[in-house]
Every structure is written in structure tokens, then in C-alpha cells.
């Protein structure tokens, strides 16, 4: 009887301890969305958007206004009462006026159609791709051809950029393993759990190294290059607001979650 009583007492203590630990974990704040990372001897900043914890928006400028052109202008122009920003990055290729040159959807409104034109530069190093999703946290990256052929409902946000870095687990066939072009670069990938990983290099890196980071370290079957040289990050938690050349579309990750909308054609 004594042994049974002792066992029951230990069981109660263990259950109580486990419940307290779970409560502490539930009350603990989530880790910062952005953190330092290293890969193949290079330094990066890695920011993660998690479904249910974050929402993602494409932003160009204030309603009916000119593009912000910088993350600092975005920061000072946020309307009062807006959800807290987890982080923001430049979000795709643009023209001299800062307007997108490829597919772009802002809050369910398409402002540029899919671009399948041939040309020069990173955007036209085919296949390029589209990063898109809804307010409920369903985020995807597809090649532009795949997107145009299979996505029938307009997403809540979307941005076309290029080139793709990783395509269904395989590196872009036209990207050298370590080319001679070394620049500050940023990109986005979606992992097998549906999280969106945003990476910006802290030093000049090659396309190949950036692509391998998404495939080998972050386990992202698909990843999309966002830009080089102008690559910028706003990380409020660490007080970072990058400056530099004028920007175009911006990807804003907020600390909130909303329901999905939008059944319009893309």
C-alpha cells in the first residue's frame, strides 16, 4: 500500500511539473523572426514567417500614391493602429519608377499581369517564378509557367521575380555552382511545413551558394530570387532598417493572422 501511495504521489508531482512546464512554454514569447545564420563560410540574416503567427502582404505605396521606394519610408508611413511588423524586405523586380515588371497582387487586387516576355537580366533567366498566398497562411512558390497554367483563383498577395533558385528540390539548371558574380542578394523559399523563409546575405555571395542554402539547410523544395545589390531588410525587433538604392514592391510580414478572401481570377 505504501509503495502504491508513493507511486501515486510521484505521478501527481510529475503531472503537475509537466503541466507547469507546458504553461511556461505557452506563455513564453515566440523567438525573434530574424536571426543570424552562416552557410558555406558566408554570413546571412534569416527571417521566418510562420502560418498562424504571421500574415504576408505585398506593398507598393500608400493607396493611390507613388511607391514608397524605401523601407524607412514604409516604416514612417504605417497607418496608426496597423498590426506590428515582424519584418519586411524588397519583394521583386521593378522598373525605373519602382513599379513591378511582373505579376503583382496587392490585397487581392492585381496591379500587373503575369510576364512571360523574353529579355535579359536576372528576371528573364528562365524559369522565373511567383511567390503568392492568402491571409490564412497558405503560401507557395511556383514557376511562372506552372502558376499561369494551374492557379485559377487570385491570391491575396503575389509577386513575380526571378530566377527561381530551387525548383521541386532541384537547383536552377542555368545557375553556376559558384559563379563570379558576387553581390548582396535576398530570396524567399517555402519549406515542407509551409513556413516562408526570407534570407538576405550579409556579404556578397553567388547565386549558387544562395540556392544551396535554401535546398540543403532550409529544406525548401522551391525558392525564388528577389533581387541583388538593392537587397534590404527592415527588422524592427533588432532596430535594423537598411538604406540604399530606391526599391519597388515590398513584402511586409505582420504579427497577425486573418481569414482568407478572394475568389477572383488571377
Amino acid at each position: 500500500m505504501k509503495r502504491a501511495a508513493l507511486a501515486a504521489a510521484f505521478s501527481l508531482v510529475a503531472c503537475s511539473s509537466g503541466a507547469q512546464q507546458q504553461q511556461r512554454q505557452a506563455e513564453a514569447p515566440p523567438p525573434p523572426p530574424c536571426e543570424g545564420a552562416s552557410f558555406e563560410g558566408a554570413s546571412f540574416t534569416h527571417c521566418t514567417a510562420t502560418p498562424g503567427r504571421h500574415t504576408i502582404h505585398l506593398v507598393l505605396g500608400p493607396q493611390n500614391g507613388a511607391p514608397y521606394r524605401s523601407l524607412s519610408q514604409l516604416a514612417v508611413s504605417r497607418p496608426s493602429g496597423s498590426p506590428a511588423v515582424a519584418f519586411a524586405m524588397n519583394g521583386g523586380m521593378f522598373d525605373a519608377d519602382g513599379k513591378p515588371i511582373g505579376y503583382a497582387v496587392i490585397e487581392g487586387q492585381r496591379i500587373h499581369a503575369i510576364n512571360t516576355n523574353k529579355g535579359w537580366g536576372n528576371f528573364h533567366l528562365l524559369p522565373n517564378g511567383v511567390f503568392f498566398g492568402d491571409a490564412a497562411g497558405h503560401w507557395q512558390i511556383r514557376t511562372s509557367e506552372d502558376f499561369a497554367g494551374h492557379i485559377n483563383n487570385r491570391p491575396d498577395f503575389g509577386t513575380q521575380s526571378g530566377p527561381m533558385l530551387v525548383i521541386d528540390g532541384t537547383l536552377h539548371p542555368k545557375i553556376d555552382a559558384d559563379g563570379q558574380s558576387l553581390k548582396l542578394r535576398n530570396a524567399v523559399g517555402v519549406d515542407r511545413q509551409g513556413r516562408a523563409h526570407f534570407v538576405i546575405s550579409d556579404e556578397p555571395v553567388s547565386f549558387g551558394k544562395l540556392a544551396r542554402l535554401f535546398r540543403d539547410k532550409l529544406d525548401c523544395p522551391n525558392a525564388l530570387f528577389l533581387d541583388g545589390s538593392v537587397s534590404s531588410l527592415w527588422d524592427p525587433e533588432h532596430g535594423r532598417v537598411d538604406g540604399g538604392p530606391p526599391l519597388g514592391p515590398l513584402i511586409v510580414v505582420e504579427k497577425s493572422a486573418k481569414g482568407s478572401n478572394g475568389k477572383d481570377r488571377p
Side-chain angles (χ1 to χ4, degrees), residues 128-195:
N128 54 29
V130 180
F131 172 51
F132 65 101
D134 61 30
H138 304 109
W139 307 321
Q140 298 184 56
I141 295 173
R142 297 196 182 200
T143 66
S144 298
E145 181 180 7
D146 184 13
F147 178 89
H150 296 96
I151 300 301
N152 296 316
N153 293 327
R154 184 178 299 167
D156 291 338
F157 77 88
T159 183
Q160 184 182 9
S161 193
M164 291 285 289
L165 297 177
V166 186
I167 310 161
D168 294 331
T170 302
L171 300 184
H172 192 298
K174 297 178 182 178
I175 291 179
D176 294 333
D178 274 303
Q180 295 182 352
S181 175
L182 303 178
K183 295 182 179 181
L184 296 179
R185 292 186 157 107
N186 70 304
V188 60
V190 177
D191 68 18
R192 300 178 197 277
Q193 287 73 48
R195 297 170 297 192

Side-chain angles (χ1 to χ4, degrees), residues 25-125:
Q25 289 175 346
E27 293 174 351
C34 298
E35 59 184 1
S38 61
F39 182 73
E40 294 184 356
S43 176
F44 299 85
T45 298
H46 169 218
C47 303
T48 306
T50 303
R53 184 183 299 166
H54 301 112
T55 56
I56 298 179
H57 304 267
L58 188 70
V59 173
L60 189 61
Q63 189 174 10
N64 301 321
Y68 287 123
R69 306 309 309 267
S70 71
L71 290 170
S72 59
Q73 187 60 43
L74 168 71
V76 300
S77 301
R78 293 278 292 175
S80 176
S82 296
V85 171
F87 60 90
M89 273 188 178
N90 55 294
M93 306 298 178
F94 52 92
D95 62 18
D97 296 321
K99 297 181 179 179
I101 62 172
Y103 183 77
V105 171
I106 296 176
E107 303 301 328
Q109 180 180 357
R110 191 183 70 187
I111 62 173
H112 199 292
I114 197 84
N115 184 341
T116 58
N117 298 333
K118 294 182 179 180
W120 62 275
N122 294 328
F123 181 80
H124 297 286
L125 184 60

